[in-house]
Amino acid sequence: MTEDKKIECCDITEVHEDIVNHVRSKLPEESLLYDLAELFKVFGDSTRVRILVTLFESELCVCDIAEVLGMSQSAISHQLRVLKQGKLVKNRREGKSVFYSLADDHIRTIFQQGFDHIQE
Amino acid sequence: MTEDKKIECCDITEVHEDIVNHVRSKLPEESLLYDLAELFKVFGDSTRVRILVTLFESELCVCDIAEVLGMSQSAISHQLRVLKQGKLVKNRREGKSVFYSLADDHIRTIFQQGFDHIQE
DNA sequence: CTTTCATATGAACATATATTCATATGTATA
DNA sequence: TATACATATGAATATATGTTCATATGAAAG
């Protein structure tokens, strides 16, 4: 039952308890929300954002990304690893080079929505 | 001019230099990309994601959010501050309580796209 | 097989950040 | 005014994370 569940804070207990229970019943599964946060965490670094935006234009090898962004090959490589783990980029080998590209198109949509939010 | 700009890595210099210059010219302003990363950084924490999803359902006071998520009032209050700074939530005072709600609807769209990305 | 070059990776370091604890602020009520 | 309660906040702590440096891996060429 729910009536043995008591809310300690907030005086107007009954009203809030209803709302609390309703909201709780509507919440998505914990693991889904965790995964969502993990996805946004990957987007939440300016180096990774810059890499992804760079890849909007063209498939690129690691050293070209480093050149475009003015950063070390190692730093870029580490971040590409994070992006790959998040399934945001894919890569293919061509001789000594490895070319990276966007894994799917949700990224563009999400970034566009992000831009919209910022610019208002 | 551009020809004095030399790429140290990558043997096939000429080809890559073209791509690098092209991509560079298409990149959005640095500050915009920084702000975008800052926005996603706010989304990139499971407590804040859970707070936002909670607010999808209903306006709530701080102690109710804490109750729904099973966390301390202080922790929630600190995170609400971050969300407020990111202009993702707004609040209004009603007596001793402060009610928080979503600041705009981009958040739902962004989260939906995030869910879509995860579930494929 | 050895060398060269592009990329990947482990360790170390510095920085950022989420939560807790204690306490301050602000509002309503006795 | 004094008390109670909801919220906010500063300091401290623990943990996560981004970059650098050194080095390993892997592919092409001599």
Side-chain angles (χ1 to χ4, degrees):
Chain A
M1 306 298 168
T2 55
E3 54 263 55
D4 56 350
K5 181 84 189 175
K6 247 311 197 174
I7 297 170
E8 294 78 20
C9 63
C10 297
D11 269 4
I12 23 172
T13 308
E14 295 76 23
V15 182
H16 289 212
E17 194 169 354
D18 282 355
I19 299 175
V20 163
N21 287 332
H22 172 253
V23 169
R24 226 189 230 123
S25 73
K26 291 276 189 172
L27 281 186
E29 226 185 311
E30 190 77 6
S31 69
L32 187 62
L33 298 179
Y34 181 82
D35 290 347
L36 191 61
E38 287 302 301
L39 174 64
F40 289 132
K41 200 172 288 180
V42 177
F43 290 140
D45 172 78
S46 67
T47 297
R48 289 191 292 267
V49 164
R50 289 162 74 221
I51 291 174
L52 289 170
V53 170
T54 296
L55 296 179
F56 280 3
E57 286 307 315
S58 168
E59 173 190 69
L60 288 170
C61 71
V62 179
C63 74
D64 282 352
I65 299 172
E67 170 68 18
V68 169
L69 302 184
M71 293 181 62
S72 74
Q73 174 270 320
S74 180
I76 297 298
S77 190
H78 277 295
Q79 296 305 341
L80 284 169
R81 188 169 191 249
V82 175
L83 291 168
K84 184 104 190 281
Q85 283 172 338
K87 297 185 191 302
L88 299 174
V89 301
K90 60 191 177 195
N91 57 14
R92 70 182 176 84
R93 180 141 222 151
E94 187 178 306
K96 282 179 285 189
S97 298
V98 177
F99 286 85
Y100 282 81
S101 57
L102 293 186
D104 81 62
D105 255 19
H106 286 128
I107 305 171
R108 290 177 200 267
T109 315
I110 292 174
F111 275 33
Q112 189 53 58
Q113 289 291 321
F115 282 132
D116 290 352
H117 177 83
I118 292 169
Q119 293 163 338
E120 70 167 29
Chain B
M1 306 299 168
T2 54
E3 54 262 55
D4 56 349
K5 180 86 189 172
K6 244 318 195 167
I7 297 172
E8 294 78 21
C9 61
C10 298
D11 269 3
I12 22 172
T13 308
E14 295 76 24
V15 183
H16 290 212
E17 195 171 353
D18 281 355
I19 299 175
V20 164
N21 288 331
H22 172 253
V23 170
R24 225 187 233 127
S25 73
K26 291 275 188 174
L27 280 187
E29 226 186 310
E30 190 77 9
S31 68
L32 187 63
L33 297 179
Y34 181 83
D35 291 346
L36 191 62
E38 287 302 301
L39 174 65
F40 288 132
K41 198 173 288 180
V42 177
F43 290 141
D45 172 78
S46 67
T47 296
R48 288 191 293 266
V49 164
R50 289 162 75 222
I51 291 174
L52 290 170
V53 170
T54 297
L55 296 178
F56 280 4
E57 286 308 315
S58 168
E59 173 191 68
L60 287 170
C61 71
V62 179
C63 75
D64 281 353
I65 299 171
E67 170 69 18
V68 169
L69 302 184
M71 292 182 64
S72 73
Q73 175 269 319
S74 180
I76 297 299
S77 191
H78 277 295
Q79 295 305 341
L80 283 170
R81 187 170 191 249
V82 175
L83 291 169
K84 183 105 189 280
Q85 284 172 339
K87 297 185 191 300
L88 299 173
V89 302
K90 59 190 177 197
N91 58 14
R92 70 181 177 84
R93 180 143 221 150
E94 187 178 307
K96 281 179 286 189
S97 297
V98 177
F99 287 84
Y100 281 83
S101 57
L102 293 187
D104 80 62
D105 255 18
H106 286 129
I107 305 172
R108 290 176 200 269
T109 316
I110 292 174
F111 275 33
Q112 190 51 58
Q113 288 292 319
F115 282 133
D116 289 352
H117 177 84
I118 291 169
Q119 292 162 339
E120 70 167 28

